[in-house]
Amino acid sequence: QVQLVESGGGSVQAGGSLRLSCAASGRTFSTYYMGWFRQAPGKEREFVAGINRSGVSTYYADSVKGRFTISRDNANNTVYLHVNNLKPEDTAVYYCAASITRLTTREEDYHYWGQGTQVTVSS
């Protein structure tokens, strides 16, 4: 029903910022709850941030709260993750995902996934 393509990753020094984008194809983007996950080398994928269908409600993992901001532009079928004050521990592949059910932290509740974009933070 929807294809997701992430972009905006890169290499940055600690304290830097990036804007990650997730472009969605499909006519029903605004009906999906969207989330960002990340997976660091040797670790399991973890929830980062989520946003409801209208964009007025958001939720963040404690590890990124106050540093990351999720937003969406339904007119352009895009969800963003602004990552600020980056730390080496933020190094990971970042994935966007879409859920048809709810704003959730559960990986299994997301039905569609992008291929990921790499974020590398050096100390």
Side-chain angles (χ1 to χ4, degrees):
Q1 295 296 119
V2 61
Q3 291 181 293
L4 306 173
V5 180
E6 301 95 334
S7 63
S11 298
V12 64
Q13 291 188 332
S17 301
L18 292 168
R19 187 185 71 169
L20 310 184
S21 299
C22 176
S25 62
R27 64 183 184 182
T28 57
F29 174 73
S30 63
T31 70
Y32 292 98
Y33 302 85
M34 300 297 297
W36 285 93
F37 290 75
R38 68 185 182 186
Q39 187 166 28
K43 295 186 176 181
E44 296 183 347
R45 187 155 55 189
E46 65 174 346
F47 172 82
V48 175
I51 191 166
N52 76 337
R53 291 171 292 183
S54 68
V56 301
S57 295
T58 59
Y59 188 78
Y60 299 92
D62 288 341
S63 59
V64 307
K65 193 172 300 181
R67 298 189 297 121
F68 292 8
T69 302
I70 186 172
S71 62
R72 69 191 297 163
D73 183 353
N74 286 344
N76 291 293
N77 281 18
T78 305
V79 62
Y80 302 97
L81 186 70
H82 288 82
V83 295
N84 305 306
N85 191 24
L86 286 163
K87 305 174 181 179
E89 63 204 57
D90 295 319
T91 295
V93 177
Y94 284 72
Y95 301 89
C96 68
S99 172
I100 63 174
T101 56
R102 60 184 294 180
L103 175 55
T104 175
T105 65
R106 290 165 51 88
E107 182 177 337
E108 55 265 47
D109 288 336
Y110 287 85
H111 302 84
Y112 302 98
W113 294 83
Q115 289 72 45
T117 185
Q118 176 72 48
V119 172
T120 302
V121 185
S122 59
S123 61

